[in-house]
């Protein structure tokens, strides 16, 4: 009554259709890095092939990143586009801002001509901008949807998806952004995304910078945060390698670094440091570096224990991670990376651009 060949072909087609549907379902469960985000959590998207333009503005940098399907097509800073060395944030002048945006969009069009982006991402850490600023961005950059990527979250996203780890603890030590200054910690997993688990308001990274100003250039850098001043923390870190921490300055450094507003105590500290000998300066620098290490380890331990409040030591919760990712401005202090690896007995990954120059890529990956 039935044709056997026809019945077999019909069954084969039905099975093929079911297999195809199952494959698509599984594929959607393991998408590209990133997705829908907020201050504390980044969950994976339902699809990967979207075009993204990310605009980042912090105190020292303005950057733009164009990505498609997670692949970065173009990344630059306004400094490069304008040929204006040491350019800082977007201008507060409407006319200058228009000039900057024309230059920026001109550079973008070289790599993405006549593109209507699926998503535009903003990561703006400087003071709150007027309405014309956001209207100008949207006028020059055509995106179907605009979202905001929290600054520290963008650091964490870049660090994780730049790493070889599938399951990692992300430590972001950074300056002031929209949510906090200090330490933010995240749990990151490839299938599910990035989730903040711990946050501690602290100013010891800022204090380390001020310790460097009293050592090397107290006059200019205390008053203004210029580009030249950004290297002072590195100078103090390098200087610290020449000596060992001692008891002579331990209490002074600890009180300064842990102070709620270290800027208020800079002048008093400068009076004590200005007359030091070379040997004393080396010891002071080493003591400052040791103080930064102690505070960071204390906070990271507290963050790890918060994962499992019933566990008194951080060793047990760490077993679930492949490694630790360290990013933010604090990750430019290589001694902190070394100490974390030795203390927690896990590999530590620092992304290719741990500071603010890498935030644009992190912001783009946060949705793609």
């Amino acid at each position: 009554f039935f044709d056997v060949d026809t019945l077999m072909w019909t069954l084969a087609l039905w099975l093929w259709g079911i297999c195809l549907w199952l494959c698509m379902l599984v594929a959607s469960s393991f998408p590209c890095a990133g997705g829908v985000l907020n201050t504390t959590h980044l969950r994976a998207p339902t699809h990967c092939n979207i075009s993204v333009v990310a605009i980042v503005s912090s105190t020292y940098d303005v950057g733009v990143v164009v990505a498609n399907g997670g692949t970065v097509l173009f990344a630059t800073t306004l400094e490069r586009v304008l040929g204006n060395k040491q350019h800082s944030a977007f201008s507060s002048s409407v006319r200058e801002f228009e000039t900057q945006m024309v230059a920026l969009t001109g550079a973008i069009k070289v790599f993405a001509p006549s593109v209507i982006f699926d998503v535009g991402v903003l990561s703006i850490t400087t003071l709150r901008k007027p309405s014309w600023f956001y209207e100008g961005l949207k006028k020059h950059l055509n995106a179907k949807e605009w979202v905001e990527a929290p600054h520290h979250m963008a650091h964490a996203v870049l660090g994780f998806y730049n790493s070889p780890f599938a399951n990692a603890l992300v430590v972001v030590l950074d300056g002031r952004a929209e949510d906090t200054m200090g330490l933010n910690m995240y749990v990151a997993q490839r299938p599910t995304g990035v989730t903040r688990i711990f946050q501690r308001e602290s100013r010891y990274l800022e204090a380390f910078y001020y310790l460097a100003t009293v050592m090397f250039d107290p006059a200019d850098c205390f008053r203004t945060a210029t580009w030249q001043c950004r290297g002072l923390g590195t100078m103090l870190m390098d200087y610290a390698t020449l000596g060992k921490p001692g008891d002579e300055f331990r209490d002074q450094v600890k009180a300064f670094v842990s102070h709620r507003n270290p800027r208020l105590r800079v002048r008093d500290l400068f009076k004590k440091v200005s007359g030091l000998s070379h040997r004393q300066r080396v010891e002071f620098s080493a003591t400052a570096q040791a103080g930064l290490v102690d505070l960071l380890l204390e906070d990271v331990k507290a963050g790890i224990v918060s994962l499992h409040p019933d566990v008194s030591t951080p060793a047990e919760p760490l077993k679930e991670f492949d490694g630790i990712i360290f990013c933010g401005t604090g990750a430019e202090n290589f001694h902190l990376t070394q100490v974390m690896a030795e203390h927690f007995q896990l590999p530590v990954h620092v992304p290719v651009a741990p500071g603010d120059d890498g935030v644009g890529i992190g912001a783009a990956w946060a949705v793609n």
Side-chain angles (χ1 to χ4, degrees):
F1 187 76
F2 290 104
D3 187 296
V4 177
D5 290 339
T6 303
L7 183 61
M8 293 297 292
W9 275 107
T10 303
L11 288 172
L13 286 171
W14 270 99
L15 288 171
W16 181 84
I18 291 171
C19 289
L20 181 62
W21 176 78
L22 287 172
C23 287
M24 291 174 66
L25 184 65
V26 171
S28 67
S29 302
F30 297 93
C32 303
V36 180
L37 65 158
N38 57 41
T39 308
T40 59
H41 182 63
L42 166 73
R43 65 177 174 82
T46 54
H47 64 290
C48 300
N49 192 27
I50 59 175
S51 59
V52 176
V53 58
I55 298 292
V56 177
S57 179
S58 62
T59 305
Y60 298 103
D61 298 285
V62 171
V64 60
V65 173
V66 173
N68 189 47
T71 300
V72 175
L73 304 178
F74 171 67
T76 191
T77 61
L78 195 55
E79 172 187 293
R80 298 285 185 182
V81 174
L82 295 176
N84 181 6
K85 191 175 181 182
Q86 299 176 356
H87 192 282
S88 57
F90 275 120
S91 174
S92 57
S93 160
V94 177
R95 180 175 295 180
E96 289 182 14
F97 174 74
E98 279 290 319
T99 302
Q100 292 170 349
M101 285 306 302
V102 168
L104 211 53
T105 52
I108 292 172
K109 287 177 181 178
V110 174
F111 292 87
S114 303
V115 165
I116 299 176
F117 298 100
D118 293 315
V119 182
V121 187
L122 296 178
S123 186
I124 311 294
T125 62
T126 44
L127 295 176
R128 188 170 295 175
K129 296 293 185 182
S131 58
W132 60 258
F133 172 80
Y134 296 100
E135 291 167 3
L137 282 176
K138 294 173 184 180
K139 181 182 77 173
H140 287 281
L141 297 169
N142 194 350
K144 299 175 184 176
E145 176 189 7
W146 285 91
V147 298
E148 292 193 18
H151 182 82
H152 295 142
M153 171 70 81
H155 273 303
V157 171
L158 171 67
F160 180 52
Y161 291 113
N162 177 247
S163 79
F165 306 137
N167 188 9
L169 180 72
V170 185
V171 177
V172 178
L173 181 62
D174 204 37
R176 171 67 62 188
E178 63 286 314
D179 43 7
T180 186
M181 170 186 285
L183 186 78
N184 286 269
M185 293 174 62
Y186 304 81
V187 168
Q189 296 174 318
R190 293 278 170 176
T192 56
V194 180
T195 303
R196 188 170 66 193
I197 58 159
F198 185 78
Q199 183 181 54
R200 176 156 290 178
E201 181 84 12
S202 62
R203 307 188 73 160
Y204 49 79
L205 190 62
E206 179 188 20
F208 190 76
Y209 166 78
Y210 285 131
L211 286 171
T213 67
V214 301
M215 280 287 291
F216 301 110
D217 192 1
D220 293 330
C221 291
F222 176 68
R223 291 194 299 266
T224 58
T226 64
W227 270 83
Q228 289 83 356
C229 299
R230 294 185 73 185
L232 292 182
T234 302
M235 290 174 64
L236 184 62
M237 176 186 68
D238 293 343
Y239 213 52
T241 62
L242 300 176
K244 295 181 179 181
D247 295 331
E248 184 177 356
F249 305 107
R250 190 181 303 276
D251 292 339
Q252 294 177 20
V253 168
K254 185 177 181 180
F256 182 82
V257 171
S258 58
H259 193 268
R260 187 170 183 82
N261 190 354
R263 183 183 176 90
L264 298 177
R265 306 187 66 176
V266 169
R267 296 193 185 281
D268 292 338
L269 189 65
F270 172 63
K271 293 175 184 178
K272 298 175 182 178
V273 172
S274 57
L276 298 180
S277 65
H278 173 71
R279 181 197 63 78
Q280 289 175 315
R281 282 174 171 266
V282 169
E283 184 180 324
F284 177 86
S285 300
T287 306
Q289 176 72 56
L292 182 63
V293 166
D294 291 343
L295 287 168
L296 176 64
L297 289 179
E298 181 182 327
D299 282 354
V300 172
K301 288 177 187 176
I304 295 170
V305 172
S306 72
L307 281 169
H308 299 281
D310 55 324
V311 177
S312 58
T313 63
E316 192 66 29
L318 281 175
K319 292 179 180 178
E320 63 189 69
F321 299 115
D322 303 328
I324 297 173
I325 294 157
F326 188 32
C327 42
T329 304
E332 296 174 353
N333 187 311
F334 64 83
H335 185 63
L336 295 181
T337 306
Q338 179 184 349
V339 168
M340 275 206 294
E342 292 172 352
H343 188 86
F344 296 113
Q345 294 296 298
L346 276 176
V348 176
H349 174 79
V350 176
V352 65
D356 285 357
D357 46 350
V359 167
I361 296 175
W365 282 352
V367 293
N368 199 193

